Structures are given as structure tokens and as C-alpha cells.
Amino acid sequence: MSLFKRSRFTALFVLLFVIQLSAQKLPNIVILATGGTIAGAAETNVQAGYSSGQVGVDILIKAVPELKKIAKIKGEQVSNIGSQEMNDKVWLKLAKRINELAKKDDVDGIVVTHGTDTMEETAYFLNLVVKTKKPVVLTGSMRPSTALSADGPLNIFNAVAVACDINAWDRGVLVVANDKILGARDFIKTSSTDVETFKSPGFGWIGTVHYGVARYYRKPFTKYTYQTEFSVDRIKKLPKVAIIYMYSNNNGELIEDAVEDGYEGIVVAGVGNGNMTKAAEKALAKAAKKGIVCVRASRVPTGYIDRNVEINDDKLGFVASYQLNPQRARVLLKVALLKTKDTKTIQKYFAEY
Ligand code: ASP
């Protein structure tokens, strides 16, 4: 071989070696797909009607070829459902799988694709029961994968970028959508149609992410993931907790029905400061006397539900939800009931989590 040929061969070898080395350095991210609009499909690209959970995880990943530049991706299909169908079984499967993956040295971060309808609940559930400092990032979309200007691909790209980011470690479970990074405990879905649906009134974003470049402003205000005292790794079933919506003229019958149906906890989505009609209060007090844990939350999206404001929680044995909305109060109560029925301890959990 001539000297010229040999040096070209060596240069090529070195180049391939460098490419391989830099490829090895990319973070390893696992995408756990659960369904939702992000995996939804419609017959045309400009129609409101569509079905959630139609497209598998491989297709979601293929739709974003840019992912290859930032991470080594593996996909797993946990479920393929609209998140209106999200349930305890999938929650437990998801939490256990995240805990297994997070323990592996060759997993740097986890992304969960999920419908937006109940992302609040799943994100908060995971925030209470997964045990890791590694990034666990949920994302979804408001437009199905087949839509004109689908928001899913950029959301997945940004979610993976956050999952790859060392600065995202130890911030609890995160949600990435429409260039925002939100805390699992602190965001709400505010619009049934707008791509800027997730907002964090009263708390603020954890950060922003713009074409994969993340900036962080804060950490969660309450305990999360590895800091909590909850674990579901050996749990097969979660306790039944109902939410009863309050309105004028409520006669308390739905609360009585929940008691008869064997619910272990009841969250009232009360009016104002977790208030309710006298009839509902009476039915709830009866439930509390029977040992059912009763939490007063509010249907009002912001504010604080304190103890003993217009209702005597001390006397009636109720728990106040403090900052948690009814859907998150239900999640915390389900997890809390795995440990205790003591209302004082559960009230403490509402302050801490
Ligand atoms: N119904 C859908 C879901 O939650 C809506 C969405 O993903 O935005 O799965």
C-alpha cells in the first residue's frame, strides 16, 4: 500500500473511531408510550375528530429523526389508550417499570408519552412513587400525529432533550409541552383545545425548553420521588377514592352512594374554599365517622383550602386539601391510604406533598 493510501486509510479509521466514540457518549433515553392524542390519528389533517392511541411507539420515534442526534433511544409500549382511560393498573405498571429502568446504569432518563386529559394525575402519581433523581419527563400533544402542524414531534424532541440534561436531575417528575417545563404537582390543563394548555398558575414553570435548549428557574416546592415515603413496587391494587363535585342544591346523595359502594376515601370538589351544602356536609361527616377518609378540595382552580375556615374540620374529622386540586387530592389520598387511615397523618401528607 502506498504511503498516501495508507494515511487515507488511517484517517478514515480514526474518523470512524471518533464517530463511534461520540455516538457512545449520547445519553440513553427510554420512551415509555401510553397513548393519548400524541399517538392519535384522524382521517384528514384538518379535522377536529380523531382517535387517541392509534400509533405505536416506534412510529412516534421515527417521526422525529432529529432524536438520533441527541440521544440513543429505546421505545416500549406500556399501553395505547386515551388518557381518559388511564387507570390504576397502567399506573402501577408504569411506576414499576420506571423504577426498574431508573436503577440501570445504561439509562440516563425516561420519557413518558401520555394523553393530556389526565396527565396531571399520572405525573403527580409518579412524582409520589418513583424513586430516582434521574429525569422522568412526561409529554403529550393537543393535536393528533396526523394533524397539520402536529405539536407532538417537537414536544417529544424537547422532552428527550430535557431527559438527557444533567440539569434536569433532582427536580421531581417533569412535564414538557409547548416549550415549557412544568412541575408534576403544579400544572393544570387549562384549555380543551389550545396547544398552550398546560399552565402553572400560582407556582410558575420549572423552566423552558426551546428546540432542545432547556433553562431552569426553580425546583419543586414540596417533596418528590426519592424524598417521599411512598412505594408501590410491591403493590397490586390501589384503594378506591371517589371525587364528588359540589354545586348548589346538592343533597348529599352521591356521597351516600360512594359510602355504599365501598370507597375508602372521598374527595369533595367543593365550592370556594372547599365548601358544600349542609346536606352534603352531613353526609360527609357520616362517612368520616365510618372511617372513610374525607378530603375537602375545591373546584376553583387556584387558592388554598385551609382547615376550619367555614367548616369545622377538627370536629367533623375532615382533611383539607391545602394546595391540591380534587384530581391530585384523589391521587395523594389513594397513595396515602396504602399506609394509613389516620386523618392527622394524612393531613400532614397534604402539607408535605
Ligand atoms: N383525550 C386525549 C387524551 O388525554 C387528549 C390528549 O391527549 O390531548 O388521551
Side-chain angles (χ1 to χ4, degrees):
M1 200 187 284
S2 73
L3 191 63
F4 176 67
K5 265 194 181 159
R6 197 177 307 154
S7 56
R8 272 204 349 190
F9 182 75
T10 313
L12 187 67
F13 182 77
V14 170
L15 185 70
L16 284 175
F17 185 69
V18 169
I19 289 174
Q20 204 191 348
L21 258 190
S22 56
Q24 272 168 0
K25 271 195 200 143
L26 288 180
N28 294 300
I29 303 299
V30 181
I31 299 183
L32 301 176
T34 69
T37 298
I38 197 162
E43 267 164 32
T44 75
N45 62 355
V46 281
Q47 70 177 66
Y50 69 97
S51 306
S52 280
Q54 299 297 304
V55 163
V57 66
D58 295 339
I59 294 180
L60 287 184
I61 295 169
K62 263 199 201 135
V64 197
E66 296 77 8
L67 289 176
K68 284 202 191 101
K69 293 184 194 153
I70 60 169
K72 280 207 239 160
I73 305 281
K74 275 192 192 148
E76 290 180 21
Q77 196 76 47
V78 175
S79 63
N80 212 355
I81 52 178
S83 74
Q84 57 272 38
E85 284 294 324
M86 191 44 68
N87 54 71
D88 293 359
K89 220 172 142 194
V90 179
W91 272 1
L92 290 172
K93 189 174 166 193
L94 193 57
K96 289 174 189 178
R97 186 63 186 138
I98 292 173
N99 280 336
E100 276 169 11
L101 289 169
K103 278 191 201 126
K104 296 187 177 201
D105 291 338
D106 62 351
V107 173
D108 298 297
I110 294 149
V111 169
V112 178
T113 58
H114 194 287
T116 62
D117 287 353
T118 62
M119 201 183 293
E120 277 175 64
E121 287 146 83
T122 302
Y124 184 55
F125 173 71
L126 296 175
N127 201 49
L128 293 172
V129 300
V130 302
K131 301 293 161 212
T132 182
K133 288 186 182 178
K134 291 182 186 175
V136 176
V137 186
L138 278 77
T139 193
S141 76
M142 291 299 285
R143 296 181 184 138
S145 65
T146 48
L148 199 63
S149 293
D151 49 335
L154 184 55
N155 283 347
I156 290 183
F157 181 76
N158 279 334
V160 169
V162 170
C164 291
D165 188 358
I166 192 77
N167 295 310
W169 283 53
D170 199 4
R171 288 184 195 269
V173 171
L174 300 171
V175 169
V176 164
N178 210 32
D179 294 357
K180 310 296 181 316
I181 307 169
L182 303 121
R185 176 184 177 269
D186 305 329
F187 74 97
I188 48 175
K189 182 169 180 174
T190 61
S191 166
S192 51
T193 46
D194 199 332
V195 290
E196 178 69 359
T197 189
F198 290 151
K199 296 199 175 143
S200 209
F203 302 103
W205 314 317
I206 296 276
T208 57
V209 51
H210 198 220
Y211 296 112
V213 179
R215 295 175 180 88
Y216 302 88
Y217 307 141
R218 68 171 179 90
K219 279 200 160 195
F221 303 115
T222 49
K223 289 195 207 169
Y224 51 88
T225 56
Y226 69 95
Q227 301 169 347
T228 81
E229 56 210 275
F230 308 118
S231 165
V232 290
D233 284 347
R234 292 212 183 88
I235 298 293
K236 294 213 166 70
K237 226 174 142 208
L238 295 172
K240 261 174 45 160
V241 174
I243 299 176
I244 309 282
Y245 203 83
M246 202 39 55
Y247 44 85
S248 52
N249 293 302
N250 184 293
N251 61 9
E253 269 176 13
L254 294 176
I255 294 174
E256 287 163 4
D257 289 348
V259 176
E260 253 176 53
D261 289 347
Y263 281 84
E264 290 174 55
I266 298 173
V267 174
V268 172
V271 291
N273 195 332
N275 291 319
M276 61 198 83
T277 58
K278 276 287 162 224
E281 188 182 309
K282 211 167 140 198
L284 200 67
K286 250 182 159 179
K289 262 209 171 129
K290 287 194 171 152
I292 294 159
V293 180
C294 299
V295 177
R296 288 189 309 106
S298 177
R299 64 183 205 179
V300 178
T302 60
Y304 191 87
I305 310 307
D306 213 347
R307 290 186 65 78
N308 305 317
V309 176
E310 288 189 65
I311 290 178
N312 192 334
D313 297 302
D314 291 346
K315 186 170 144 215
L316 302 173
F318 299 159
V319 172
S321 75
Y322 295 153
Q323 285 178 321
L324 295 186
N325 64 18
Q327 52 273 35
R328 282 199 181 80
R330 175 175 173 272
V331 173
L332 179 56
L333 186 51
K334 278 168 90 72
V335 172
L337 283 168
L338 293 170
K339 292 198 75 145
T340 182
K341 282 190 163 222
D342 177 55
T343 51
K344 282 207 174 88
T345 311
I346 292 177
Q347 186 66 78
K348 196 170 93 15
Y349 291 157
F350 274 80
E352 287 174 348
Y353 299 108

